[in-house]
Amino acid sequence: MVKQAVKVFVRTRPTATSGSGIKIGPDGQSVSVNVPKDESAGIINNQQESFSFKFDGVLENVSQEEAYTTVAHEVVDSLMSGYNGTIFCYGQTGAGKTFTMSGGGAGYAHRGIIPRALYHIFREIDLRVDKMYRVHVSYLEIYNEQLYDLLGDTPGTSDSLAVLEDSNNNAYVRGLTLIPVSSEEEALAQFFLGEQGRTNAGHVLNAESSRSHTVFTVHVEMRTSEAASERAILSKINLVDLAGSERTKKTNVTGQTLKEAQFINRSLSFLEQTVNALSRKDSYVPFRQTKLTAVLRDALGGNCKTIMVANIWGEPSHTEETLSTLRFASRVRTLTTDLAVNESNDPGLLLRRYERQIKELKAELAMRDTLGGRARVSYDDLTDDELRELHGTARRFLQGQAEPEELPADSLKRVREAYKALRAVHIALKSEMAQQLATLQRATEDGAAATGAQNPTISLPGVGDVDPRAAAGFTVGQAPLDARPPPRSELGDHHPHAHATASSPPPMLKPQSSHFTGDAASTYGDASVPDSPSIARGSGAAAATRLAGIFAVPGDRNAIFRRYKSDVPEGRELTAALKAAAAALRETRGSIKTLGEAVNGAKRRVDELSAAVSQRRSAAPAGGDGEVLDSEAYALVQVQGLLCAQKGG
């Protein structure tokens, strides 16, 4: 972006300025205003008499052509290069704003900035044959703080118009009609059509006073012939004719004209407040206070090259209005804007540009591979056949039937596709395994339900879940906290487990012959008889083979373990040995308990005898030659010694 200061030019009304107190400096850029002192203030009067202002140029008694060359020519040239521009006229009513912007009807030489700008634009388009241009025009009116589309089908309505901001914080009017034009004649026709819809009224100072602010906008879209379908430069120029500020005491307006004057003065006052905030660099700028300041947001501080024309009326009776206009123009001159070329963000244009860039990059990669001596590498998207082949290779690789070298790795795109194929195959295999496990589980549950239906007296022993900590082998599982069986008193006499004891466990579920297939079924024999002699006791590899055949049957590992303990001879033998060891352990624990009770009894007897001996000794008479024990005390001491010897042994 480029910082650009707002330029301000002062144009005086074509009437003579002699005797008005306004003097133009010899440099053609300064203006001095002399205000006579008010004699009614008395002898001591500190009222300032002289005011000086400096601008970018002063246009005094100049032709319309010279005014356009000085003010607008540079802005239109920037428009054709892709920069936004705004030219607006400001001043009191009757100062010549509309004449400067639109021109007068007296002759062709009185054309204003708008007709001359249209001529300039289409002349440049004809000269720049290496570029392609498309031009649209729009005409907006702000009347009594309402927006009106002067080129719309129904210019009398304003409900659909609203001032918004785009993604780049540029202001635009939603719903405003854009008319495509291909020549100066078509553009002028639309301009004159909009002029007919403007609101005008006469008063003492101006017979054709504008009662509204108008914004005539020319939108230009430029494309170079080399990349006409990929890159577009968008720019626009706003040509603004502001309504003049009025003093109702001078204009003597009433009724609707008075109401219009109030809205005009109000909007211009807010415009001055906005300019003051921008010149002070305030953190908050009241752009949204009026429609006018919202529309002129870009012109006052956005992406725009702005020119202001301050129209003044050099009559002594309008000195106060002239000073107000010059002061406002001085503040506007302190503003700066940010200039930048506006490139189109049309998704269609961006897509075509990206397609061209991708094609060029692929060509560069192919050239690099050729110069590097590499084999031809395809950087295009994989076809459907190539994707199917890649998925097949990925499946064989996960199953251990393909080597890593078979996966493509010649380009980054193919490596990505290989990763995607591996993930897709992994998800598919995982889904297949989940379906198979669900099918086996349903088959096991159906078989268990069928067994219970054939023999209602058979029930599944155990309520435990599979222990997740067991990595391999068989586990008895872990019972949930709420799996405690009810008391036998609640079961009743009819329940098969009601009279079961520790020595008579509940009957085990006998495996069904339908659960076994292949060698396991032939080895197991009649599955309904647990003690079938067809399963011979063996050792080593033969026994392991038989067990593997039996335990290959799908189902719960707890159920398989129970069948192993009850049906397989080795399992029954190990179960019996475990029960015998448990019985021996219980007997040993009983002996230990009996011996402990005997030792504790002897200890208590020793304590009693010791207490008795101590009591008799304390009762013996004192003064003897030594301690004399009677026969009873001597017997107690002997028994105490015997018990201590037994305890120590």
Side-chain angles (χ1 to χ4, degrees):
M1 288 189 177
V2 179
K3 289 290 184 179
Q4 177 75 37
V6 177
K7 292 185 177 182
V8 178
F9 296 89
V10 176
R11 188 178 189 185
T12 62
R13 183 168 170 165
T15 57
T17 60
S18 59
S20 62
I22 299 177
K23 295 181 180 180
I24 310 300
D27 57 355
Q29 295 181 338
S30 59
V31 179
S32 298
V33 180
N34 187 25
V35 180
K37 290 185 178 182
D38 186 4
E39 296 180 357
S40 62
I43 300 176
I44 301 176
N45 189 350
N46 296 325
Q47 178 183 349
Q48 184 176 353
E49 296 183 85
S50 179
F51 299 88
S52 298
F53 304 92
K54 187 175 181 61
F55 303 101
D56 295 282
V58 179
L59 307 177
E60 182 184 14
N61 296 327
V62 298
S63 63
Q64 291 282 69
E65 181 178 359
E66 185 177 354
Y68 175 81
T69 303
T70 305
V71 173
H73 196 281
E74 180 184 357
V75 181
V76 175
D77 285 340
S78 299
L79 172 73
M80 304 308 293
S81 299
Y83 295 98
N84 295 337
T86 296
I87 302 174
F88 69 96
C89 295
Y90 177 91
Q92 72 174 100
T93 181
K97 299 180 299 299
T98 303
F99 178 79
T100 301
M101 187 60 62
S102 302
Y108 183 77
H110 291 171
R111 291 177 303 153
I113 291 178
I114 293 178
R116 293 177 185 273
L118 294 176
Y119 168 77
H120 188 177
I121 291 171
F122 285 99
R123 186 188 65 180
E124 290 293 327
I125 291 176
D126 294 338
L127 294 177
R128 303 185 184 192
V129 294
D130 59 331
K131 296 180 175 61
M132 301 176 59
Y133 290 91
R134 288 197 302 177
V135 182
H136 295 76
V137 296
S138 63
Y139 209 168
L140 174 69
E141 180 184 35
I142 305 175
Y143 174 72
N144 289 353
E145 203 55 27
Q146 297 294 326
L147 300 177
Y148 294 92
D149 186 0
L150 296 179
L151 300 182
D153 296 334
T154 55
T157 61
S158 63
D159 297 336
S160 61
L161 301 181
V163 183
L164 304 178
E165 297 178 8
D166 58 14
S167 58
N168 297 324
N169 294 328
N170 295 325
Y172 72 98
V173 180
R174 184 192 63 189
L176 188 62
T177 303
L178 295 178
I179 304 297
V181 292
S182 58
S183 63
E184 178 189 1
E185 291 75 14
E186 294 181 6
L188 286 174
Q190 296 298 327
F191 169 67
F192 293 141
L193 178 63
E195 283 288 293
Q196 295 176 3
R198 286 192 64 175
T199 304
N200 297 320
H203 53 72
V204 175
L205 299 180
N206 191 354
E208 296 182 359
S209 175
S210 300
R211 313 311 294 169
S212 63
H213 312 296
T214 58
V215 182
F216 184 79
T217 306
V218 182
H219 304 262
V220 178
E221 178 181 345
M222 179 188 67
R223 302 186 187 185
T224 60
S225 57
E226 296 179 355
S229 60
E230 299 175 9
R231 185 171 183 267
I233 302 298
L234 304 179
S235 58
K236 64 180 180 179
I237 181 171
N238 299 315
L239 303 172
V240 185
D241 181 13
L242 298 179
S245 59
E246 299 181 12
R247 293 199 174 189
T248 55
K249 292 182 179 180
K250 292 184 177 182
T251 57
N252 297 325
V253 294
T254 58
Q256 181 65 23
T257 307
L258 176 61
K259 180 180 178 181
E260 294 169 352
Q262 293 173 349
F263 275 103
I264 291 172
N265 292 335
R266 177 174 177 270
S267 62
L268 293 178
S269 176
F270 282 124
L271 177 61
E272 291 184 10
Q273 294 180 15
T274 302
V275 171
N276 292 337
L278 288 171
S279 63
R280 293 192 305 264
K281 300 186 183 301
D282 293 349
S283 58
Y284 170 73
V285 180
F287 284 114
R288 296 182 178 273
Q289 285 186 331
T290 63
K291 300 291 195 309
L292 177 62
T293 53
V295 171
L296 296 180
R297 175 170 184 164
D298 295 342
L300 299 176
N303 179 16
C304 187
K305 189 170 188 177
T306 304
I307 303 292
M308 172 185 171
V309 179
N311 294 90
I312 59 176
W313 194 344
E315 295 289 340
S317 58
H318 303 303
T319 302
E320 293 183 7
E321 290 83 350
T322 299
L323 274 177
S324 177
T325 301
L326 294 177
R327 286 169 178 163
F328 176 74
S330 297
R331 288 191 292 268
V332 171
R333 193 167 181 262
T334 62
L335 305 181
T336 58
T337 58
D338 298 320
L339 285 182
V341 176
N342 304 291
E343 190 168 345
S344 174
N345 294 325
D346 186 4
L349 298 178
L350 294 176
L351 179 60
R352 287 191 288 270
R353 181 192 304 175
Y354 295 153
E355 289 176 349
R356 177 181 59 82
Q357 292 177 352
I358 291 172
K359 186 177 180 180
E360 293 175 353
L361 291 174
K362 287 181 179 179
E364 291 182 3
L365 289 174
M367 181 179 294
R368 187 194 63 178
D369 295 338
T370 302
L371 296 177
R374 295 180 59 188
R376 183 181 180 277
V377 178
S378 176
Y379 297 99
D380 297 329
D381 295 335
L382 274 67
T383 62
D384 294 340
D385 295 337
E386 290 175 337
L387 288 175
R388 282 193 294 269
E389 181 180 357
L390 180 58
H391 279 256
T393 304
R395 180 178 288 271
R396 290 189 291 106
F397 173 76
L398 292 178
Q399 294 175 350
Q401 302 174 1
E403 298 297 329
E405 290 77 9
E406 298 184 32
L407 294 174
D410 51 353
S411 68
L412 183 60
K413 178 176 290 186
R414 291 180 176 269
V415 170
R416 272 202 203 95
E417 292 296 337
Y419 283 141
K420 292 179 182 179
L422 289 172
R423 181 173 61 183
V425 172
H426 168 70
I427 294 175
L429 292 176
K430 187 176 180 181
S431 178
E432 293 177 4
M433 293 177 62
Q435 293 178 359
Q436 293 177 0
L437 290 176
T439 303
L440 292 175
Q441 185 176 3
R442 285 196 299 270
T444 304
E445 293 175 354
D446 294 343
T451 302
Q454 293 176 3
N455 191 356
T457 61
I458 298 177
S459 61
L460 287 174
V463 293
D465 297 331
V466 176
D467 189 354
R469 296 171 296 178
F474 304 98
T475 61
V476 296
Q478 53 184 6
L481 297 178
D482 57 349
R484 182 182 299 277
R488 288 195 297 269
S489 60
E490 298 179 4
L491 295 177
D493 297 338
H494 63 279
H495 196 275
H497 297 171
H499 303 286
T501 61
S503 60
S504 60
M508 306 294 291
L509 176 63
K510 299 180 180 181
Q512 299 299 318
S513 59
S514 60
H515 290 182
F516 299 88
T517 58
D519 297 337
S522 61
T523 303
Y524 197 80
D526 187 4
S528 62
V529 182
D531 298 331
S532 176
S534 60
I535 302 180
R537 182 177 179 181
S539 62
T545 303
R546 288 194 301 275
L547 292 177
I550 294 173
F551 298 141
V553 180
D556 185 25
R557 290 190 296 174
N558 290 335
I560 296 174
F561 184 48
R562 289 193 292 271
R563 290 201 297 270
Y564 168 75
K565 293 190 297 183
S566 61
D567 300 342
V568 179
E570 291 179 347
R572 290 196 297 271
E573 183 177 326
L574 292 175
T575 302
L578 180 61
K579 291 181 179 180
L585 179 61
R586 287 194 296 271
E587 184 178 356
T588 303
R589 287 178 177 174
S591 301
I592 293 174
K593 182 178 180 181
T594 302
L595 292 175
E597 292 176 352
V599 170
N600 292 333
K603 176 64 171 58
R604 288 192 298 272
R605 181 60 178 165
V606 168
D607 294 338
E608 293 174 357
L609 292 175
S610 298
V613 170
S614 299
Q615 183 178 4
R616 293 187 67 84
R617 284 178 179 177
S618 61
D625 295 335
E627 183 180 0
V628 180
L629 300 177
D630 57 7
S631 59
E632 185 178 357
Y634 180 76
L636 290 174
V637 171
Q638 285 184 335
V639 172
Q640 181 182 7
L642 180 61
L643 290 176
C644 290
Q646 291 179 356
K647 181 179 178 181

